[in-house]
Amino acid sequence: MRKPIELLTENLSRTIVGKADAIRLVIVALLSGGHALLEDVPGVGKTLLAKSLARSIDGRFQRIQCTPDLLPTDITGTNIWNQSTGQFEFLAGPVFANILLADEINRATPRTQSALLEVMEERQVTVDGVARLVPNPFFAIATQNPIEYQGTFPLPEAQMDRFTLCLTLGYPSEVEELQMLQRLGDGVTVDELQPCISPEDVLELRRLCARVKVEAPLQHYILNLVRSTREDEEIALGVSPRGTVALQKATQALAFLSGRDYAIPDDVKFLAPYVLSHRLIPSGGRKAKTIVERLLASVPIP
């Protein structure tokens, strides 16, 4: 199954210039069965990445532009009355997709944000007491602008905890931005991108990732790293057990992407800032990623 991974990476690179680590991390989130949160300024390719991923796996793509007046039923769907049949019919919302993009998620109200809690964890939505499964695989990508906070509603910890990892794309380098300009005339657009794998391939890749070996010493390393966030004086709220599981699953996916059937400490060290930082609350205005990097330097490596 190495070929599908290479095809997927290559396909995304045709529209996303020079963001190899970001592409790798999004694929890790996809194959680990989780979701991804992209925190970055506008115009750096967050939406383009989500669309390109959906095209590459030949999956159904839906986009939600989050605004303060967005309602929960605008996401999940609602029952409407059909006069011709005399019955209520369910009108599915955009959440019924393989790839769901929640653009500027922090502009939606807490009530609307909560509409995603169930589907991100249980892959189903409940409307009027009836639970409906969403397509499989289901992968959510949410974006938010970390600079502009006017008219926004910060995501609660329960919501943040459901994202496997949080990353930024960042501004391109001078060379990469020049490549973007040169591609305007003859480059591949997202609409021209051809599928390279299928949703069924994604499910098979997930099953293979789950079989990657994580030896007991490495599991203890993951556990010690997570537990240290709950005891550190600079952290008001540490990482939950869900974060522990997410870190191991992401580690397995990264090892698989690297062509190994076993995980190593370097996999954990690379992923920890992306998997743990957004799950903890620093005290005294400190930066979460800096704290995680300090803990990585202090926790013994097996």
Side-chain angles (χ1 to χ4, degrees), residues 48-65:
L48 180 62
L49 178 57
K51 286 184 175 180
S52 299
L53 181 62
R55 294 279 297 182
S56 297
I57 70 169
D58 199 20
R60 185 183 181 191
F61 173 77
Q62 292 280 14
R63 175 182 177 180
I64 304 170
Q65 186 62 51

Side-chain angles (χ1 to χ4, degrees), residues 280-300:
L280 55 85
I281 299 179
S283 59
R286 296 176 175 86
K287 293 185 177 181
K289 187 163 286 190
T290 302
I291 296 176
V292 172
E293 290 172 352
R294 175 173 58 78
L295 294 176
L296 283 170
S298 63
V299 175

Side-chain angles (χ1 to χ4, degrees), residues 7-62:
L7 290 174
L8 180 58
T9 304
E10 181 183 349
N11 224 37
L12 294 176
S13 300
R14 298 180 69 188
T15 56
I16 308 296
V17 179
K19 300 298 178 184
D21 279 347
I23 291 174
R24 194 181 187 193
L25 287 167
V26 168
I27 295 177
V28 164
L30 174 68
L31 298 188
S32 64
H35 311 284
L37 176 64
L38 307 184
E39 286 188 322
D40 223 322
V41 296
V44 294
K46 302 185 296 293
T47 303
L48 180 62
L49 178 57
K51 286 184 175 180
S52 299
L53 181 62
R55 294 279 297 182
S56 297
I57 70 169
D58 199 20
R60 185 183 181 191
F61 173 77
Q62 292 280 14

Side-chain angles (χ1 to χ4, degrees), residues 263-285:
I264 59 177
D266 283 346
D267 297 328
V268 179
K269 292 178 66 177
F270 174 76
L271 288 168
Y274 302 103
V275 177
L276 304 182
S277 297
H278 65 287
R279 300 175 187 271
L280 55 85
I281 299 179
S283 59

Side-chain angles (χ1 to χ4, degrees), residues 36-302:
L37 176 64
L38 307 184
E39 286 188 322
D40 223 322
V41 296
V44 294
K46 302 185 296 293
T47 303
L48 180 62
L49 178 57
K51 286 184 175 180
S52 299
L53 181 62
R55 294 279 297 182
S56 297
I57 70 169
D58 199 20
R60 185 183 181 191
F61 173 77
Q62 292 280 14
R63 175 182 177 180
I64 304 170
Q65 186 62 51
C66 296
T67 56
D69 61 348
L70 191 71
L71 297 176
T73 52
D74 294 331
I75 295 177
T76 61
T78 186
N79 287 309
I80 60 173
W81 179 256
N82 189 327
Q83 291 185 348
S84 61
T85 61
Q87 295 179 333
F88 280 101
E89 292 183 0
F90 179 68
L91 180 64
V95 76
F96 289 86
N98 296 116
I99 306 293
L100 175 69
L101 172 63
D103 212 358
E104 294 189 289
I105 188 173
N106 56 336
R107 292 199 176 277
T109 61
R111 179 187 177 193
T112 302
Q113 291 175 11
S114 66
L116 290 170
L117 289 175
E118 180 184 14
V119 69
M120 290 177 68
E121 185 69 20
E122 302 173 36
R123 306 309 195 267
Q124 67 176 28
V125 291
T126 303
V127 179
D128 293 340
V130 179
R132 292 178 170 86
L133 295 175
V134 297
N136 194 19
F138 173 77
F139 180 60
I141 300 180
T143 73
Q144 61 179 4
N145 184 347
I147 305 299
E148 185 182 0
Y149 290 105
Q150 186 175 2
T152 62
F153 304 88
L155 297 180
E157 288 308 305
Q159 186 86 57
M160 295 291 284
D161 205 28
R162 279 165 169 77
F163 289 103
T164 298
L165 49 80
C166 177
L167 67 145
T168 61
L169 297 181
Y171 287 117
S173 66
E174 183 178 353
V175 174
E176 293 166 352
E177 203 159 5
L178 178 60
Q179 290 179 359
M180 291 171 55
L181 295 177
Q182 293 171 341
R183 285 188 180 186
L184 289 178
D186 54 2
V188 176
T189 65
V190 66
D191 293 330
E192 297 170 340
L193 206 61
Q194 296 299 315
C196 58
I197 64 174
S198 66
E200 290 73 22
D201 291 330
V202 174
L203 295 177
E204 178 62 23
L205 289 169
R206 284 182 175 181
R207 284 190 285 267
L208 293 175
C209 287
R211 291 163 55 183
V212 170
K213 298 176 184 177
V214 182
E215 300 294 345
L218 189 57
Q219 288 182 324
H220 282 291
Y221 177 55
I222 292 174
L223 187 62
N224 292 337
L225 186 60
V226 171
R227 293 185 67 85
S228 67
T229 67
R230 305 169 191 167
E231 303 164 357
D232 196 279
E233 295 180 353
E234 296 183 353
I235 300 176
L237 178 66
V239 176
S240 71
R242 184 188 282 120
T244 311
V245 174
L247 183 54
Q248 174 165 310
K249 287 184 176 181
T251 298
Q252 290 175 302
L254 181 60
F256 184 79
L257 259 64
S258 302
R260 289 180 272 106
D261 63 354
Y262 58 90
I264 59 177
D266 283 346
D267 297 328
V268 179
K269 292 178 66 177
F270 174 76
L271 288 168
Y274 302 103
V275 177
L276 304 182
S277 297
H278 65 287
R279 300 175 187 271
L280 55 85
I281 299 179
S283 59
R286 296 176 175 86
K287 293 185 177 181
K289 187 163 286 190
T290 302
I291 296 176
V292 172
E293 290 172 352
R294 175 173 58 78
L295 294 176
L296 283 170
S298 63
V299 175
I301 301 174

